[in-house]
Amino acid sequence: MHLISFSPPPPLPTFLLSFSSLLLLLLLFLLQWRQPKDKRFPPGSMGWPYIGETLMLYTQNPNSFFSNRQKRYGDIFKTHILGCPCVMISSPEAAKIVLVSKAHLFKPTYPPSKEKMIGPEALFFHQGAYHSRLKKLVQASFLPSAIRGSVSEIEQIVLKFLPTWKNATINTLQEMKKYAFDVAMISAFGYQHDLEMEGIKNLYQCIEKGYNSMPLDLPGTPYHKAIKAREQLNETLRRLIQKRRESGKQIDGLLGVLLAAKDQKLNQLSDSQIADNIIGVIFAAHDTTASVLTWVLKYLHDNQDLLDAVTREQEGILRQKIEENRGLTWDDTRHMPLTTRVIQETLRTASILSFTFREAVQDVEFEGYIIPRGWKVLPLFRSIHHCADFFPQPEKFDPSRFEVSSSFALEYKLKYGRINTNTH
């Protein structure tokens, strides 16, 4: 009997194994990129596998990126940005369907990279009872009755900044960010003067840089630094929340509202739920507020007659304050009709928030197209706010659009409801 032995074949070279793995990954990406032939998707381009059109979004003016595709494909088109397949919509009718009449089919969402920065417990990423409960708590913190007492403190913040701007060249946006952050600290924590607040401010600034950068989690990148800062901020807020829980004292601001909140079973919010929602509110308010204020100053600078009229309105309130020997009050802000219209027209013209994210919770048939479950849907607010059918000469800065007698603005509101530029 002869035994025959077999020697195992020589191992494949390492480079062949690596090449085979690369080919397999590429094949998987391509298979994911293919779209079923029996479904009609919106027109558009998905760009490169995995990367999509993200690089083009970051290397172009975002408004140009979207407007060029709208001109090419129409009011509804697809793309792939920030790691997500997306459908863009740019008509008031479509926006109302997604945000109001069929809102249950499109849940609030953000790209994973953005969600990681804010925190998964923030109300923006939820639907149902939890979202409703948090939304009521946050709104309660910003009702006139809640912020009425903060007006004088906010005025003091402005008075603190003014001397530093006199006879100096400043970066307006950066100065407005400093101001908006100090106001956000009052709204969130009830006060702003504290070493803990300085630490929170420094960490937040690092997170903000990474939030608006390419989401590459590699050592040395702004995004990686922001992730590390977010971990530190979470720990800082956890200690702060624990200290406030143990103090037993009355706590103002959003933090006080969230700490006191209990559901029907008398369960309190967890530390992570409180931290994520505070960070979420700061994100929602800080950068957008600073941008709006910067654009208000820019438009007033470019329209001298309007600047003179707003100045007269503000000087009238100032004279009344001096006569009555008092500071600014909430009632004073109710007597600034022209200033209010300037802010409204700034929100429309500048469209600070170009779009918001929603996600299809199931396959949705939309204007003859299929939006697959899990795809992002982005109403393009700038396109809506620059619709010439409702805002003649949309590029013109004209606060009179928001006077009560403005027929086209009234028609717009009656037909489509209020499309909020700060929808999240």
Side-chain angles (χ1 to χ4, degrees):
M1 181 176 179
H2 299 282
L3 295 176
I4 301 174
S5 61
F6 293 91
S7 299
L12 288 171
T14 304
F15 80 90
L16 283 178
L17 289 173
S18 300
F19 184 67
S20 300
S21 300
L22 183 62
L23 284 177
L24 180 60
L25 284 173
L26 182 59
L27 179 61
L28 289 173
F29 280 139
L30 291 174
L31 287 173
Q32 286 181 336
W33 227 248
R34 293 183 63 191
Q35 298 173 356
K37 299 297 184 183
D38 59 337
K39 291 185 177 180
R40 186 168 180 242
F41 291 86
S45 170
M46 301 296 277
W48 290 90
Y50 186 70
I51 297 174
E53 296 190 304
T54 303
L55 289 177
M56 283 181 276
L57 174 65
Y58 273 93
T59 54
Q60 298 177 18
N61 181 311
N63 291 326
S64 298
F65 175 87
F66 293 122
S67 64
N68 290 339
R69 282 154 181 76
Q70 181 187 356
K71 291 175 184 175
R72 182 176 180 182
Y73 301 115
D75 286 341
I76 176 170
F77 59 91
K78 68 177 182 287
T79 183
H80 192 286
I81 56 174
L82 302 173
C84 309
C86 303
V87 172
M88 308 294 179
I89 58 175
S90 55
S91 71
E93 300 93 335
K96 185 176 181 181
I97 290 172
V98 172
L99 298 175
V100 183
S101 58
K102 296 292 180 66
H104 60 285
L105 297 177
F106 303 95
K107 70 177 181 179
T109 186
Y110 273 58
S113 60
K114 308 286 189 186
E115 184 175 331
K116 186 180 289 188
M117 290 290 180
I118 296 174
E121 300 286 356
L123 67 92
F124 311 133
F125 313 126
H126 295 268
Q127 281 183 305
Y130 178 77
H131 176 269
S132 298
R133 180 188 177 201
L134 264 298
K135 183 178 179 180
K136 289 178 182 176
L137 292 173
V138 171
Q139 287 179 333
S141 302
F142 294 96
L143 290 173
S145 58
I147 63 176
R148 189 185 298 269
S150 302
V151 172
S152 61
E153 193 168 358
I154 294 172
E155 182 185 24
Q156 291 305 311
I157 295 175
V158 176
L159 295 175
K160 178 190 72 175
F161 276 108
L162 286 177
T164 68
W165 300 337
K166 189 175 182 179
N167 299 323
T169 300
I170 64 170
N171 182 314
T172 307
L173 178 59
Q174 294 307 315
E175 292 300 309
M176 293 303 102
K177 282 187 175 183
K178 294 176 185 177
Y179 162 73
F181 191 86
D182 284 352
V183 174
M185 289 298 96
I186 294 174
S187 301
F189 301 104
Y191 61 95
Q192 57 156 333
H193 303 293
D194 195 302
L195 289 177
E196 287 176 325
M197 296 301 106
E198 278 300 313
I200 290 172
K201 182 177 183 178
N202 293 334
L203 290 171
Y204 176 82
Q205 288 173 342
C206 181
I207 294 171
E208 184 186 30
K209 291 178 183 177
Y211 183 87
N212 294 314
S213 69
M214 281 286 287
L216 299 174
D217 194 4
L218 300 173
T221 63
Y223 185 78
H224 181 78
K225 293 177 182 177
I227 290 295
K228 295 299 181 184
R230 179 62 177 83
E231 293 171 358
Q232 295 178 47
L233 180 57
N234 198 58
E235 183 60 26
T236 300
L237 288 177
R238 190 194 64 77
R239 291 195 302 267
L240 178 64
I241 291 167
Q242 190 61 36
K243 187 188 299 184
R244 298 296 183 271
R245 284 192 195 276
E246 294 172 354
S247 71
K249 297 179 181 178
Q250 175 69 33
I251 302 169
D252 296 325
L254 178 61
L255 176 59
V257 173
L258 297 180
L259 282 173
K262 294 180 181 179
D263 61 17
Q264 294 178 342
K265 297 181 180 180
L266 300 181
N267 294 318
Q268 292 183 309
L269 293 169
S270 68
D271 289 356
S272 63
Q273 288 173 328
I274 293 174
D276 286 359
N277 280 285
I278 285 177
I279 293 172
V281 168
I282 293 175
F283 260 106
H286 170 248
D287 196 55
T288 51
T289 300
S291 297
V292 170
L293 291 172
T294 301
W295 279 104
V296 164
L297 293 174
K298 194 267 184 189
Y299 288 131
L300 288 176
H301 173 271
D302 293 347
N303 295 271
Q304 186 62 47
D305 291 343
L306 189 58
L307 173 60
D308 292 341
V310 169
T311 301
R312 286 193 297 271
E313 182 175 82
Q314 294 299 316
E315 286 177 341
I317 293 173
L318 178 61
R319 283 193 298 272
Q320 189 172 357
K321 283 173 49 185
I322 293 173
E323 290 171 3
E324 298 176 6
N325 191 27
R326 60 172 177 80
L328 191 70
T329 66
W330 176 260
D331 289 339
D332 289 329
T333 68
R334 303 298 88 190
H335 294 86
M336 302 178 182
L338 179 57
T339 304
T340 300
R341 290 197 295 273
V342 167
I343 294 171
Q344 290 174 317
E345 178 67 346
T346 299
L347 289 169
R348 184 201 68 81
T349 308
S351 293
I352 305 303
L353 191 69
S354 297
F355 54 82
T356 190
F357 284 94
R358 292 294 185 268
E359 181 180 313
V361 299
Q362 64 186 52
D363 287 358
V364 179
E365 185 173 347
F366 192 87
E367 296 192 0
Y369 299 109
I370 292 296
I371 300 178
R373 178 177 179 269
W375 279 36
K376 310 298 183 187
V377 181
L378 283 67
L380 299 176
F381 292 130
R382 182 175 180 82
S383 297
I384 295 169
H385 295 152
H386 285 245
C387 177
D389 292 340
F390 296 98
F391 301 104
Q393 297 180 280
E395 300 305 318
K396 181 182 179 182
F397 188 79
D398 181 10
S400 68
R401 301 179 195 274
F402 291 91
E403 292 176 357
V404 176
S405 60
S406 178
S407 59
F408 54 84
L410 181 59
E411 180 187 356
Y412 181 85
K413 291 179 182 179
L414 289 174
K415 190 172 182 180
Y416 298 115
R418 180 173 176 268
I419 304 297
N420 187 351
T421 57
N422 287 319
T423 302
H424 292 279

